[in-house]
Amino acid sequence: MTDLATDYLDIDSLLTEQELDLRTQVRRFVDDRIRPNINSWYEDAVFPQDLVKEMGSLGLLGMHLSGYDCGGRSAVEYGIAAMELEAGDSGIRTFVSVQGSLAMSAISKFGSEQHKQQWLPGMAAGELIGCFGLTEPTAGSDPAGMVTRAVRGKLGWVLNGAKRWIGLASIADVAIIWAKTDDGIRGFVVPTDTPGFSAVPISQKMSMRASIQCDITLENVQLPESAVLPGVVGLRGPFSCLNEARYGIMWGAMGAARDAYQSVLAYAQERTQFGKPIASFQLTQQKLVDMVLEIQKGTLVALQTGRLKDAGRLRPEQISFGKLNNVRQAIEICRSARTILGGNGITLEHSPLRHANNLESVRTYEGTDEVHTLIMGRAITGIPSFS
């Protein structure tokens, strides 16, 4: 019989045995390797780089890609893995997203055969790390406004510019850099040891503390002609990769929300005030019920989106639905969960506020609420409200 506290609508019955087995495997990894350590990683602002090869050995890196030692898993399986990883911490799920959905996806979709053979097997194994340079100090939601430029030189290309909020850049072996050229926006495969490439971690963050985001500077970075991604010109390239990341986010956010809910459900059943467990108070039950409603609905949104993706029928506008709804609701769930904990909720002993802080970053990256709202508005009305 379904446990209504953990799966009110019996969503597990919609998953295949293979999907459930994968979830068990990733959940065990989170329980064994992330939960015991995440508080110290978060407090000390440390990304656990030693986990990278472990995640590679579990097939979590580029798991939705095929060939070149990638996992070839389904979209739903990738989503399930993202949910379980973010139940541990958004920073860990973000690593998998940057590595697989952004950097590896760009190479897989648009790279040359040489690019794929050179980079994808090592990245899938966690032996090589990639990053994805699109956002700039003055170009966030408007990537067409980027100023990073690539011009042809005697031996190939020369890149100049800057990128900001680039995950993993300071530990990456390869960067996918998007730049303006005379032919339009192009992607470039840039080994990070190339002279002129530098990455500096952004410090004093209040969110995503167990993760790495960087400023990148590109000063006369000279690349061979073969460095350009041959398969795409224009913003269709980076947007295609962003949609892969946005898809994983809608699952991951529900993982963070679920963890916050489950932690305060247990707390409320044990915490006694006025002579009885606080779970017996009407207002506490209302908060818990509201969490269950939104977690179950958000999980169904993610699952249906994944099924559409696996069937080849998913539209980018539908991804915006899940990213907008699930992250927005997850933040509210985590904030509400914090209130059940009272003053104890501001400590790292409990996960909800850590998740809420992380989700402030998730809410911004890969498209703000405003951007996804206008994408949906255009889809609904047929009228674009932005150029």
Coordinates of all heavy atoms in Angstrom, one line a residue, residues 64-65 78 93-94 96-111 120 123 131-135 143 175-178 185-189 229 231-250 309 314 316 319 323 365-367 372:
H64 N 22.4 11.1 -20.5 CA 21.3 11.1 -21.5 C 21.9 11.1 -22.9 O 21.1 11.2 -23.8 CB 20.4 12.3 -21.2 CG 21.1 13.6 -21.3 ND1 22.2 14.0 -20.5 CD2 21.0 14.7 -22.2 CE1 22.6 15.2 -20.8 NE2 21.9 15.6 -21.8
L65 N 23.2 11.2 -23.0 CA 23.8 11.2 -24.3 C 24.2 9.8 -24.8 O 24.4 8.9 -23.9 CB 25.1 12.1 -24.3 CG 24.9 13.5 -23.8 CD1 26.2 14.3 -23.8 CD2 23.9 14.3 -24.7
Y78 N 17.4 10.4 -16.5 CA 18.3 11.6 -16.2 C 17.6 12.5 -15.2 O 18.2 12.9 -14.2 CB 18.6 12.4 -17.4 CG 19.3 13.7 -17.1 CD1 20.5 13.7 -16.5 CD2 18.8 14.9 -17.5 CE1 21.2 14.9 -16.2 CE2 19.4 16.1 -17.2 CZ 20.6 16.1 -16.6 OH 21.3 17.2 -16.2
R93 N 24.0 18.6 -8.0 CA 23.2 18.4 -9.2 C 23.7 19.4 -10.2 O 23.7 19.1 -11.5 CB 21.7 18.6 -8.9 CG 20.8 18.1 -10.0 CD 20.5 19.1 -11.1 NE 20.0 20.3 -10.5 CZ 20.2 21.5 -11.0 NH1 20.8 21.6 -12.2 NH2 19.7 22.6 -10.5
T94 N 24.0 20.6 -9.8 CA 24.5 21.6 -10.8 C 25.8 21.1 -11.5 O 25.9 21.4 -12.7 CB 24.7 22.9 -10.1 OG1 23.5 23.5 -9.6 CG2 25.4 23.9 -11.0
V96 N 26.6 18.1 -12.3 CA 26.1 17.1 -13.3 C 25.5 17.8 -14.5 O 25.7 17.4 -15.6 CB 25.2 16.1 -12.6 CG1 24.5 15.2 -13.7 CG2 25.9 15.2 -11.6
S97 N 24.8 18.9 -14.2 CA 24.1 19.6 -15.2 C 25.1 20.4 -16.1 O 25.0 20.3 -17.3 CB 23.1 20.6 -14.6 OG 22.4 21.4 -15.6
V98 N 26.0 21.1 -15.5 CA 27.0 21.8 -16.3 C 27.9 20.8 -17.1 O 28.1 21.1 -18.3 CB 27.9 22.6 -15.3 CG1 29.1 23.2 -16.1 CG2 27.1 23.8 -14.7
Q99 N 28.3 19.8 -16.5 CA 29.1 18.8 -17.2 C 28.4 18.1 -18.3 O 28.9 18.1 -19.5 CB 29.6 17.7 -16.2 CG 30.5 16.6 -16.8 CD 31.9 16.9 -16.8 OE1 32.4 18.1 -16.8 NE2 32.8 15.9 -17.0
G100 N 27.2 17.6 -18.0 CA 26.5 16.8 -19.0 C 25.6 17.5 -19.9 O 25.6 17.4 -21.1
S101 N 24.7 18.3 -19.3 CA 23.7 19.0 -20.1 C 24.2 20.2 -20.9 O 23.6 20.6 -21.9 CB 22.5 19.5 -19.2 OG 21.8 18.4 -18.7
L102 N 25.3 20.8 -20.4 CA 25.8 22.0 -21.1 C 27.1 21.7 -21.9 O 27.0 21.6 -23.1 CB 26.1 23.1 -20.1 CG 24.8 23.7 -19.4 CD1 25.2 24.7 -18.3 CD2 23.9 24.3 -20.4
A103 N 28.2 21.4 -21.2 CA 29.4 21.2 -21.9 C 29.4 20.0 -22.8 O 29.7 20.0 -24.0 CB 30.6 21.1 -20.9
M104 N 29.1 18.8 -22.2 CA 29.1 17.6 -23.1 C 28.0 17.6 -24.1 O 28.2 17.2 -25.2 CB 28.9 16.4 -22.2 CG 30.0 16.1 -21.2 SD 29.8 14.7 -20.1 CE 29.8 13.3 -21.3
S105 N 26.8 18.2 -23.8 CA 25.8 18.3 -24.8 C 26.2 19.1 -26.0 O 25.9 18.8 -27.1 CB 24.5 18.9 -24.1 OG 23.5 19.0 -25.0
A106 N 26.9 20.3 -25.7 CA 27.3 21.1 -26.8 C 28.3 20.3 -27.8 O 28.2 20.4 -29.0 CB 28.0 22.3 -26.3
I107 N 29.2 19.6 -27.2 CA 30.1 18.8 -28.0 C 29.4 17.7 -28.7 O 29.6 17.5 -29.9 CB 31.2 18.2 -27.1 CG1 32.1 19.4 -26.5 CG2 32.1 17.2 -27.9 CD1 33.1 18.9 -25.5
S108 N 28.5 17.0 -28.0 CA 27.7 15.9 -28.6 C 26.8 16.4 -29.8 O 26.7 15.8 -30.8 CB 26.9 15.2 -27.6 OG 26.1 14.2 -28.1
K109 N 26.1 17.5 -29.6 CA 25.2 18.0 -30.6 C 25.9 18.7 -31.8 O 25.5 18.5 -32.9 CB 24.3 19.0 -29.9 CG 23.2 18.5 -29.0 CD 22.5 19.7 -28.3 CE 21.5 19.2 -27.3 NZ 20.2 18.7 -27.9
F110 N 26.9 19.5 -31.5 CA 27.5 20.4 -32.5 C 29.0 20.2 -32.8 O 29.5 20.9 -33.7 CB 27.2 21.8 -32.1 CG 25.8 22.1 -31.7 CD1 25.4 22.5 -30.4 CD2 24.8 21.9 -32.6 CE1 24.1 22.8 -30.0 CE2 23.4 22.1 -32.3 CZ 23.1 22.6 -31.0
G111 N 29.6 19.3 -32.0 CA 31.1 19.2 -32.2 C 31.4 18.3 -33.4 O 30.6 17.6 -34.0
L120 N 34.6 13.6 -25.0 CA 33.4 13.0 -24.4 C 33.7 11.7 -23.5 O 33.2 11.6 -22.4 CB 32.4 12.6 -25.4 CG 31.7 13.8 -26.1 CD1 30.6 13.4 -27.1 CD2 31.0 14.7 -25.0
M123 N 35.1 12.9 -20.2 CA 34.2 13.7 -19.4 C 33.1 12.7 -18.8 O 32.7 12.9 -17.7 CB 33.5 14.8 -20.3 CG 34.5 15.8 -20.7 SD 33.8 17.0 -21.9 CE 32.9 18.1 -20.8
C131 N 33.2 23.2 -18.8 CA 32.3 24.3 -18.4 C 31.8 24.9 -19.7 O 32.1 24.6 -20.8 CB 33.1 25.3 -17.5 SG 34.4 26.2 -18.4
F132 N 30.8 25.9 -19.5 CA 30.0 26.4 -20.6 C 29.9 27.9 -20.4 O 29.3 28.4 -19.5 CB 28.6 25.7 -20.5 CG 27.7 26.0 -21.6 CD1 27.6 25.2 -22.7 CD2 26.8 27.1 -21.5 CE1 26.7 25.5 -23.7 CE2 25.9 27.3 -22.5 CZ 25.8 26.5 -23.6
G133 N 30.6 28.6 -21.3 CA 30.7 30.1 -21.1 C 29.8 30.8 -22.0 O 30.1 31.1 -23.2
L134 N 28.6 31.2 -21.5 CA 27.7 32.0 -22.3 C 27.4 33.3 -21.6 O 27.6 34.4 -22.2 CB 26.4 31.2 -22.4 CG 25.2 32.0 -23.2 CD1 25.6 32.2 -24.6 CD2 23.9 31.2 -23.1
T135 N 27.0 33.3 -20.3 CA 26.7 34.5 -19.6 C 27.9 35.5 -19.4 O 29.0 35.0 -19.2 CB 26.1 34.2 -18.2 OG1 25.0 33.4 -18.4 CG2 25.8 35.4 -17.4
P143 N 21.5 37.0 -24.1 CA 22.8 36.6 -24.6 C 23.2 37.2 -25.9 O 24.4 37.2 -26.3 CB 22.6 35.0 -24.7 CG 21.2 34.8 -24.8 CD 20.6 35.9 -24.0
A175 N 36.6 24.4 -21.9 CA 35.5 25.4 -21.8 C 34.8 25.5 -23.2 O 35.5 25.6 -24.2 CB 36.0 26.7 -21.4
I176 N 33.5 25.4 -23.2 CA 32.7 25.8 -24.4 C 32.4 27.3 -24.3 O 31.6 27.7 -23.5 CB 31.5 24.9 -24.5 CG1 31.8 23.4 -24.4 CG2 30.7 25.3 -25.8 CD1 32.7 22.9 -25.5
I177 N 33.1 28.0 -25.2 CA 32.9 29.5 -25.1 C 32.1 30.0 -26.4 O 32.4 29.6 -27.5 CB 34.3 30.2 -25.1 CG1 35.1 29.8 -23.9 CG2 34.1 31.7 -25.2 CD1 34.5 30.2 -22.6
W178 N 31.1 30.7 -26.1 CA 30.2 31.3 -27.2 C 30.7 32.7 -27.4 O 30.8 33.5 -26.4 CB 28.8 31.2 -26.8 CG 28.3 29.8 -26.6 CD1 28.3 29.1 -25.4 CD2 27.9 28.9 -27.6 NE1 27.9 27.8 -25.6 CE2 27.7 27.6 -26.9 CE3 27.7 29.0 -29.0 CZ2 27.2 26.5 -27.6 CZ3 27.3 27.8 -29.7 CH2 27.1 26.6 -29.0
I185 N 27.0 34.2 -33.9 CA 27.5 33.6 -32.7 C 27.9 32.2 -33.0 O 27.2 31.4 -33.5 CB 26.4 33.7 -31.6 CG1 26.2 35.2 -31.2 CG2 26.8 32.9 -30.4 CD1 25.1 35.4 -30.2
R186 N 29.1 31.9 -32.5 CA 29.7 30.5 -32.7 C 30.2 30.0 -31.4 O 30.5 30.8 -30.5 CB 30.9 30.5 -33.7 CG 30.6 31.1 -35.1 CD 29.5 30.2 -35.9 NE 29.9 28.8 -36.0 CZ 30.6 28.4 -37.1 NH1 30.9 29.2 -38.1 NH2 30.9 27.1 -37.2
G187 N 30.2 28.7 -31.3 CA 30.8 28.0 -30.1 C 32.2 27.6 -30.4 O 32.5 27.1 -31.5
F188 N 33.1 27.6 -29.3 CA 34.5 27.2 -29.5 C 34.9 26.3 -28.3 O 34.5 26.5 -27.2 CB 35.4 28.5 -29.4 CG 35.2 29.4 -30.6 CD1 34.2 30.4 -30.6 CD2 36.0 29.3 -31.7 CE1 34.0 31.2 -31.7 CE2 35.8 30.1 -32.8 CZ 34.8 31.1 -32.8
V189 N 35.6 25.3 -28.7 CA 36.1 24.3 -27.7 C 37.5 24.8 -27.3 O 38.5 24.8 -28.1 CB 36.2 22.9 -28.3 CG1 36.8 21.9 -27.3 CG2 34.8 22.5 -28.8
L229 N 32.9 24.9 -33.1 CA 31.9 23.8 -33.2 C 31.3 24.0 -34.6 O 30.6 25.0 -34.9 CB 30.8 24.0 -32.1 CG 31.3 23.8 -30.7 CD1 30.1 24.2 -29.7 CD2 31.7 22.3 -30.4
G231 N 28.8 22.5 -36.0 CA 27.4 22.0 -36.3 C 26.3 23.1 -36.1 O 25.1 22.8 -36.2
V232 N 26.7 24.3 -35.7 CA 25.7 25.3 -35.4 C 26.2 26.7 -35.5 O 27.4 27.0 -35.2 CB 25.1 25.1 -34.0 CG1 26.0 25.5 -32.9 CG2 23.7 25.8 -33.8
V233 N 25.4 27.7 -36.0 CA 25.6 29.1 -36.0 C 24.4 29.8 -35.4 O 23.3 29.5 -35.7 CB 25.9 29.6 -37.4 CG1 26.1 31.1 -37.4 CG2 27.0 28.9 -38.1
G234 N 24.7 30.7 -34.5 CA 23.6 31.5 -33.9 C 23.2 31.0 -32.5 O 23.8 30.0 -32.0
L235 N 22.3 31.7 -31.9 CA 21.9 31.3 -30.5 C 21.1 30.0 -30.4 O 20.9 29.5 -29.3 CB 21.0 32.5 -30.0 CG 21.8 33.7 -29.6 CD1 20.8 34.8 -29.2 CD2 22.7 33.5 -28.4
R236 N 20.7 29.4 -31.5 CA 20.1 28.1 -31.4 C 21.0 27.1 -30.7 O 20.5 26.2 -30.0 CB 19.8 27.6 -32.8 CG 19.1 26.2 -32.9 CD 18.8 25.8 -34.3 NE 19.9 25.6 -35.1 CZ 20.6 24.4 -35.1 NH1 20.2 23.4 -34.4 NH2 21.7 24.3 -35.9
G237 N 22.3 27.3 -30.9 CA 23.3 26.4 -30.3 C 23.2 26.4 -28.8 O 22.9 25.4 -28.1
P238 N 23.5 27.5 -28.2 CA 23.5 27.6 -26.7 C 22.1 27.4 -26.1 O 22.0 26.7 -25.1 CB 24.0 29.0 -26.4 CG 23.9 29.8 -27.6 CD 24.1 28.8 -28.7
F239 N 21.1 27.8 -26.8 CA 19.7 27.6 -26.3 C 19.4 26.2 -26.2 O 18.6 25.7 -25.3 CB 18.7 28.4 -27.1 CG 18.7 29.9 -26.8 CD1 18.0 30.8 -27.6 CD2 19.2 30.4 -25.6 CE1 18.0 32.1 -27.4 CE2 19.2 31.7 -25.3 CZ 18.6 32.6 -26.2
S240 N 19.8 25.4 -27.2 CA 19.6 24.0 -27.2 C 20.2 23.3 -26.0 O 19.6 22.4 -25.4 CB 20.1 23.3 -28.5 OG 20.0 21.9 -28.5
C241 N 21.4 23.7 -25.6 CA 22.0 23.2 -24.4 C 21.3 23.7 -23.2 O 21.1 22.9 -22.2 CB 23.5 23.6 -24.4 SG 24.4 23.1 -25.9
L242 N 20.9 24.9 -23.1 CA 20.2 25.5 -22.0 C 18.9 24.7 -21.7 O 18.5 24.5 -20.6 CB 19.9 27.0 -22.2 CG 21.1 27.9 -22.1 CD1 20.7 29.3 -22.4 CD2 21.9 27.8 -20.8
N243 N 18.2 24.3 -22.8 CA 17.0 23.6 -22.6 C 17.3 22.2 -22.0 O 16.4 21.7 -21.2 CB 16.3 23.4 -23.9 CG 15.5 24.7 -24.3 OD1 14.9 25.3 -23.4 ND2 15.4 24.9 -25.6
E244 N 18.4 21.6 -22.3 CA 18.8 20.3 -21.6 C 18.9 20.6 -20.1 O 18.5 19.8 -19.3 CB 20.1 19.8 -22.2 CG 20.0 19.4 -23.7 CD 19.1 18.1 -23.9 OE1 18.8 17.4 -22.9 OE2 18.8 17.9 -25.1
A245 N 19.6 21.7 -19.8 CA 19.8 22.0 -18.4 C 18.5 22.3 -17.7 O 18.3 21.9 -16.5 CB 20.8 23.1 -18.2
R246 N 17.7 23.1 -18.3 CA 16.4 23.5 -17.8 C 15.5 22.3 -17.5 O 14.8 22.3 -16.5 CB 15.7 24.5 -18.7 CG 16.3 25.8 -18.9 CD 15.8 26.6 -20.1 NE 16.3 28.0 -20.1 CZ 16.1 28.8 -21.1 NH1 15.5 28.4 -22.2 NH2 16.7 30.0 -21.1
Y247 N 15.6 21.3 -18.3 CA 14.8 20.1 -18.1 C 15.2 19.4 -16.8 O 14.4 19.0 -16.0 CB 15.0 19.2 -19.3 CG 14.5 17.8 -19.0 CD1 13.1 17.5 -19.0 CD2 15.4 16.8 -18.7 CE1 12.6 16.3 -18.7 CE2 14.9 15.5 -18.4 CZ 13.5 15.2 -18.4 OH 13.1 14.0 -18.1
G248 N 16.5 19.3 -16.6 CA 17.0 18.7 -15.4 C 16.7 19.5 -14.2 O 16.4 18.9 -13.1
I249 N 16.6 20.8 -14.3 CA 16.3 21.6 -13.1 C 14.9 21.4 -12.6 O 14.7 21.4 -11.4 CB 16.5 23.1 -13.5 CG1 18.0 23.5 -13.7 CG2 15.8 24.1 -12.5 CD1 18.2 24.8 -14.3
M250 N 14.0 21.2 -13.5 CA 12.6 21.0 -13.0 C 12.5 19.7 -12.1 O 11.7 19.7 -11.2 CB 11.6 20.9 -14.2 CG 11.6 19.7 -15.0 SD 10.3 19.7 -16.2 CE 10.9 20.8 -17.4
K309 N 9.7 14.2 -23.8 CA 11.1 14.3 -24.3 C 11.5 13.0 -24.9 O 12.1 12.9 -26.0 CB 12.0 14.8 -23.2 CG 13.4 15.3 -23.7 CD 14.2 15.9 -22.5 CE 15.4 16.7 -23.0 NZ 16.3 15.9 -23.8
L314 N 8.7 16.9 -27.2 CA 8.7 18.0 -26.2 C 9.1 19.3 -26.9 O 10.1 19.4 -27.7 CB 9.8 17.7 -25.1 CG 9.9 18.8 -24.0 CD1 8.6 18.9 -23.3 CD2 11.1 18.4 -23.1
P316 N 10.3 23.4 -26.6 CA 11.0 24.3 -25.6 C 10.1 25.0 -24.7 O 10.4 25.2 -23.5 CB 11.9 25.2 -26.5 CG 12.0 24.5 -27.7 CD 10.8 23.7 -27.9
I319 N 9.2 23.1 -21.6 CA 10.3 23.1 -20.6 C 10.2 24.3 -19.7 O 10.4 24.2 -18.5 CB 11.7 23.0 -21.3 CG1 11.8 21.7 -22.1 CG2 12.8 23.1 -20.2 CD1 13.1 21.6 -22.9
K323 N 10.3 24.5 -15.5 CA 11.4 25.2 -14.8 C 10.8 26.3 -14.0 O 11.1 26.5 -12.8 CB 12.3 25.8 -15.9 CG 13.7 26.1 -15.3 CD 13.8 27.4 -14.6 CE 15.3 27.8 -14.2 NZ 15.4 29.1 -13.5
Y365 N 19.5 31.1 -12.7 CA 20.2 30.6 -13.9 C 19.4 29.7 -14.8 O 18.3 29.2 -14.4 CB 21.5 29.9 -13.5 CG 21.4 28.5 -12.7 CD1 20.7 27.5 -13.1 CD2 22.3 28.3 -11.6 CE1 20.7 26.3 -12.5 CE2 22.3 27.1 -10.9 CZ 21.5 26.1 -11.4 OH 21.5 24.9 -10.7
E366 N 19.8 29.6 -16.1 CA 19.1 28.9 -17.1 C 17.7 29.6 -17.3 O 16.7 28.9 -17.7 CB 19.0 27.4 -16.8 CG 20.1 26.6 -17.4 CD 21.4 26.9 -16.9 OE1 22.0 27.9 -17.3 OE2 22.0 26.1 -16.1
G367 N 17.6 30.9 -17.1 CA 16.4 31.6 -17.4 C 15.6 32.0 -16.1 O 15.2 31.2 -15.3
H372 N 11.1 33.0 -18.4 CA 10.2 31.8 -18.7 C 8.7 32.2 -18.8 O 7.9 31.7 -19.5 CB 10.4 30.7 -17.7 CG 11.7 30.1 -17.9 ND1 12.0 29.3 -19.0 CD2 12.9 30.0 -17.2 CE1 13.3 28.8 -18.9 NE2 13.8 29.3 -17.8

